[in-house]
Amino acid sequence: MTSSASISALYIYPVKSLAGIDMPAVMLTGEGLAFDRRWVITDERGNFVTQRDCPAMATLGTAIDSEHLIITAPSRRHLFVPLAEPATPADRVRIFKTECQGQDEGDEAAAWLSAALGRSVRLKRVPRDNRRRVSPQRLGELVALTGFADGYPLLVTASASLAALNARLAERELPPVPMSRFRPNLVIDHTPAFAEHAATRLGGEGFSLWLCKPCERCRVVTVDQCSGEILHPGEPLGTLSRMSHVEQKGAFFGENAVVLSGEGVTLARAMRVVLSPEHEGTAL
């Protein structure tokens, strides 16, 4: 059944696992939202570092101006990273079991981030000739690329689904969690709770997304995105795992998505969108 909705919020996370930016409008690209997860922090061997093992990353802010990625930290001067592509060649980045490429942003950025996080790290960006594919096992013949996201370039969540989760948390005498815990790209309103899991398409004027996989959540959702603290260990993961909105066992919230069409379209808050099942959408 097709249902109407609207976009209530848009977020980008320029540096994987650092704080995001609440956007009034943002351009859709073939690899997700513009500037979303185009940089990653790695250890000296190129292995990605996230809030899973470094919760303090949540306290580092990000911004984009016309010439720079800007990273901020409490009681530190800002780090300005030019948007112009560095001259360094691409080298190894490992995200889970996936090997891809990243261009190193130099020693100044590495020193700043290492001091802020208390560990030796590097900052790398997606190269211009990025070839990191989204799971061919899941997408079949459709070829989609992503930057440094865990696996998919977009995450769609719904306000009603968060309300349902918070109602269940209240039943267990646990505090509510904000949407920021789930680090979505698009938040939609005016849907029943978990309607995103019953749909395979989300589309609007000039664009179409494939909602292709429920997002299984990890311990990042236990991290307070303002303080970097874990105040209620294991939550809301434990509560999510007890809910039955997804058939699989596990803690799920939101839908992973890829772009079917609409590269160059500007998405904006209050934009009307439609959720539809596969048989009412364009066949893959």
Side-chain angles (χ1 to χ4, degrees):
M1 179 178 178
T2 299
S3 60
S4 297
S6 64
I7 297 174
S8 61
L10 292 160
Y11 299 96
I12 62 171
Y13 309 88
V15 183
K16 184 179 182 66
S17 245
L18 300 194
I21 306 172
D22 186 351
M23 304 288 288
V26 61
M27 188 178 72
L28 185 66
T29 78
E31 298 181 19
L33 300 184
F35 291 112
D36 183 54
R37 289 167 294 192
R38 307 308 286 178
W39 286 266
V40 66
I41 294 171
T42 74
D43 64 18
E44 295 289 350
R45 296 177 297 171
N47 300 314
F48 79 137
V49 178
T50 73
Q51 291 181 34
R52 293 172 181 88
D53 57 2
C54 187
M57 292 175 74
T59 66
L60 301 188
T62 58
I64 299 283
D65 68 15
S66 60
E67 296 182 352
H68 301 93
L69 161 71
I70 306 166
I71 304 178
T72 63
S75 304
R76 291 185 62 82
R77 64 179 179 84
H78 297 355
L79 173 67
F80 289 83
V81 180
L83 295 181
E85 188 174 330
T88 56
D91 58 12
R92 173 186 181 273
V93 172
R94 185 176 178 87
I95 298 177
F96 297 116
K97 296 180 181 180
T98 301
E99 297 274 350
C100 55
Q101 297 289 303
Q103 290 178 278
D104 194 280
E105 292 287 9
D107 291 341
E108 180 183 356
W112 191 100
L113 287 165
S114 296
L117 296 175
R119 59 194 297 175
S120 182
V121 295
R122 309 292 302 183
L123 179 65
K124 298 181 182 181
R125 77 161 72 190
V126 175
R128 182 176 296 180
D129 62 344
N130 178 41
R131 296 184 294 274
R132 186 180 175 218
R133 287 187 62 180
V134 178
S135 174
Q137 295 82 6
R138 188 74 182 182
L139 301 191
E141 295 182 2
L142 178 69
V143 176
L145 302 179
T146 187
F148 293 131
D150 277 359
Y152 293 80
L154 292 162
L155 178 67
V156 178
T157 64
S159 298
S161 303
L162 181 66
L165 168 60
N166 281 331
R168 189 67 64 88
L169 288 169
E171 291 173 4
R172 304 184 65 207
E173 299 184 345
L174 291 166
V177 294
M179 189 64 86
S180 61
R181 288 285 187 96
F182 301 98
R183 300 175 64 84
N185 294 117
L186 285 79
V187 182
I188 56 175
D189 272 353
H190 311 300
T191 69
F194 304 114
E196 63 275 25
H197 298 308
T200 60
R201 300 289 186 278
L202 186 148
E205 186 173 352
F207 79 95
S208 178
L209 309 180
W210 178 16
L211 307 181
C212 51
K213 184 178 181 291
C215 184
E216 187 167 13
R217 310 313 304 224
C218 67
R219 61 180 176 269
V220 169
V221 303
T222 69
V223 178
D224 184 296
Q225 293 298 301
C226 294
S227 67
E229 299 175 295
I230 300 175
L231 303 177
H232 297 275
E235 290 295 344
L237 282 175
T239 299
L240 277 172
S241 67
R242 293 176 174 88
M243 299 175 72
S244 57
H245 53 285
V246 171
E247 292 182 0
Q248 301 115 289
K249 291 183 178 180
F252 293 88
F253 192 88
E255 279 280 324
N256 292 300
V258 296
V259 179
L260 292 175
S261 64
E263 185 173 353
V265 169
T266 296
L267 307 185
R269 291 183 204 146
M271 177 181 283
R272 301 298 296 176
V273 294
V274 173
L275 285 169
S276 61
E278 186 170 356
H279 69 275
E280 294 185 17
T282 302
L284 289 174

